[in-house]
Amino acid sequence: MNSIESFAFIVTFLLGGVILVGCFIILVVLKSTSLKQSRFFLALAIFGLIQHLFTYLLFTTQLIKQWPHLLGVGYPLLFLVGSCFYLFIKSYGNASFRLQKVDLIHILPFLIMLILFFPRYLGSIEEKQAVIQYYYDILPNGAVAFSDWFQASLHLVVLFVYAIAALFLIYKRDTKNSILLKRFAILLILLAVVELILQTGFLLTGASAITTEIILSGLMAITILLLGYWIVDIKQVLPVLEGKKYKTSPLSETRSKEIKQQIQSFFDEEQRYLDPNLKIADLSKIISVPSHHISQVLNEKMNSNFYEILNQHRVAKAKEMLQSGALQKISVQAVGEECGFSSKTSFYRAFKKVTSMTPLQYIETIS
């Protein structure tokens, strides 16, 4: 076994492991009901990457020669990675998000490639084996056709465009966990750019398919592992694992209900939530309940956290003021400050998250 074959064996072993890890990541994403419908877009985007990793695995193991009918089966799915990631960002944190007719345009690249590839799926084994062998042969320098480059690189161009669009949307919306979402977008941008450069170089220099697949599959594997680490380890993005940390808590069901009632009474009967400096430690002192028990009850019984429920009541108060014509006397920013928000930005962000509209848009609906 020469060095190239040894390296290919190692890469093959690692690819199999990454595929299993990727499947676990998808299960975690789908289980995260807190993400609402956005979890389906993220899961589909990750699946698009994983199935392409499986294609790399078929080439590095040369199993594609034994199963030629698998050639190109999952290729159209690559055109869903970018669009699904964009829709994930668009729907993230927006409980009222619904797919509109205009959003169907994002699946057009996938449908077009599916239609173009359909005749190939019906081709004979001999035809598919000839294509497979073509990819394994070393191409002479300068002999690569533009159609070869276009077919091999188009999905990367589409991914790059959508990742850029998603990044702009993150900056524009400034949503919760925007730093981590920016990491997602930048990672996909880097993947598209680096693979596009390397793939172009491999085609122009005449590298064999096995060499190309080993390098590109390594980059894809690193991308999936990084996404997986951020998704599973950073629970504030996917709080699906949050409940498990309370598994050993001594808090009984009865006591949890009592604390829930105390929290609700605090927010319903008093207006201390209008204090811009209010923290969970302050609530803990007022109702004489440890902070970690408050957090547990909020998470398990109220499907929320301290700052979410705090902002919900502040926004409710702001809506009351806007309905009563407060803008005739004070500005929108002043309304936010009266309701406990420290800045106009935080007020707008919280208001839009709760109502899916800005304060000015809300005023238009009640005028």
Side-chain angles (χ1 to χ4, degrees):
M1 181 181 294
N2 57 40
S3 58
I4 295 180
E5 291 176 337
S6 300
F7 186 60
F9 174 80
I10 295 173
V11 171
T12 299
F13 179 78
L14 293 176
L15 288 184
V18 174
I19 290 173
L20 291 176
V21 171
C23 292
F24 170 74
I25 295 168
I26 290 177
L27 291 176
V28 171
V29 170
L30 292 176
K31 192 178 178 182
S32 178
T33 55
S34 63
L35 285 179
K36 307 300 181 182
Q37 65 271 32
S38 65
R39 70 186 190 273
F40 298 111
F41 298 125
L42 180 58
L44 192 53
I46 297 174
F47 177 74
L49 295 176
I50 292 174
Q51 67 82 27
H52 196 53
L53 208 59
F54 180 71
T55 301
Y56 284 138
L57 186 61
L58 291 176
F59 270 89
T60 56
T61 58
Q62 301 198 33
L63 286 174
I64 191 66
K65 294 181 178 180
Q66 299 180 31
W67 302 328
H69 283 302
L70 293 179
L71 178 66
V73 170
Y75 182 71
L77 289 173
L78 284 174
F79 291 85
L80 283 178
V81 175
S83 58
C84 284
F85 178 73
Y86 175 80
L87 290 174
F88 163 67
I89 297 299
K90 187 176 180 180
S91 61
Y92 181 82
N94 185 1
S96 62
F97 176 83
R98 295 292 183 273
L99 279 175
Q100 305 296 324
K101 290 183 178 180
V102 68
D103 292 321
L104 297 178
I105 194 173
H106 299 302
I107 68 171
L108 277 181
F110 164 74
L111 293 177
I112 292 173
M113 296 310 299
L114 186 63
I115 293 172
L116 291 176
F117 265 71
F118 190 74
R120 299 190 183 188
Y121 300 148
L122 303 179
S124 65
I125 291 180
E126 291 75 17
E127 292 173 338
K128 293 178 180 178
Q129 287 176 335
V131 174
I132 292 170
Q133 190 57 47
Y134 169 76
Y135 285 119
Y136 273 97
D137 289 338
I138 297 178
L139 303 175
N141 293 342
V144 62
F146 175 77
S147 59
D148 293 328
W149 176 88
F150 187 74
Q151 178 180 317
S153 306
L154 182 58
H155 70 279
L156 296 173
V157 176
V158 173
L159 174 60
F160 175 78
V161 172
Y162 270 111
I164 289 290
L167 187 61
F168 275 109
L169 187 59
I170 295 169
Y171 275 104
K172 180 180 179 181
R173 292 174 57 190
D174 191 26
T175 58
K176 180 184 178 183
N177 302 315
S178 60
I179 294 178
L180 293 172
L181 296 178
K182 288 172 188 176
R183 289 182 185 175
F184 286 6
I186 292 173
L187 181 62
L188 292 180
I189 291 171
L190 291 176
L191 173 68
V193 171
V194 174
E195 288 217 358
L196 189 62
I197 294 173
L198 290 177
Q199 192 152 249
T200 302
F202 289 143
L203 288 172
L204 293 177
T205 57
S208 65
I210 188 64
T211 303
T212 304
E213 301 300 324
I214 288 175
I215 301 299
L216 298 183
S217 65
L219 291 174
M220 186 76 75
I222 292 172
T223 300
I224 293 174
L225 288 175
L226 278 175
L227 284 174
Y229 172 76
W230 289 332
I231 288 172
V232 176
D233 190 68
I234 308 299
K235 299 177 182 59
Q236 59 181 333
V237 176
L238 294 179
V240 64
L241 303 177
E242 281 287 315
K244 294 184 178 180
K245 73 180 183 180
Y246 301 120
K247 194 172 183 179
T248 59
S249 173
L251 202 60
S252 66
E253 182 70 18
T254 301
R255 182 55 181 151
S256 294
K257 291 180 180 180
E258 292 175 353
I259 295 174
K260 178 183 176 181
Q261 184 61 45
Q262 287 179 276
I263 295 173
Q264 290 176 331
S265 298
F266 171 82
F267 283 105
D268 293 340
E269 299 173 5
E270 301 184 42
Q271 292 193 347
R272 295 188 185 182
Y273 58 82
L274 300 180
D275 180 0
N277 298 314
L278 183 68
K279 296 180 176 59
I280 193 171
D282 301 319
L283 175 59
S284 174
K285 291 180 181 179
I286 294 170
I287 66 176
S288 300
V289 175
S291 298
H292 59 281
H293 284 172
I294 294 176
S295 297
Q296 179 178 346
V297 171
L298 285 171
N299 181 263
E300 292 185 336
K301 303 300 180 183
M302 305 176 73
N303 193 29
S304 183
N305 61 51
F306 176 72
Y307 288 103
E308 285 180 353
I309 195 170
L310 182 64
N311 284 340
Q312 287 171 5
H313 284 81
R314 287 174 173 175
V315 169
K317 180 64 176 179
K319 289 168 65 177
E320 290 180 9
M321 293 183 65
L322 293 175
Q323 291 172 3
S324 64
L327 290 186
Q328 297 177 3
K329 301 177 180 178
I330 57 177
S331 65
V332 174
Q333 182 175 349
V335 170
E337 292 175 350
E338 288 282 339
C339 295
F341 293 99
S342 58
S343 67
K344 182 179 179 180
T345 301
S346 62
F347 175 45
Y348 267 67
R349 183 167 57 242
F351 197 96
K352 189 169 184 179
K353 183 175 181 179
V354 173
T355 65
S356 299
M357 62 183 76
T358 65
L360 294 179
Q361 290 172 335
Y362 177 75
I363 292 170
E364 292 177 358
T365 65
I366 61 177
S367 298

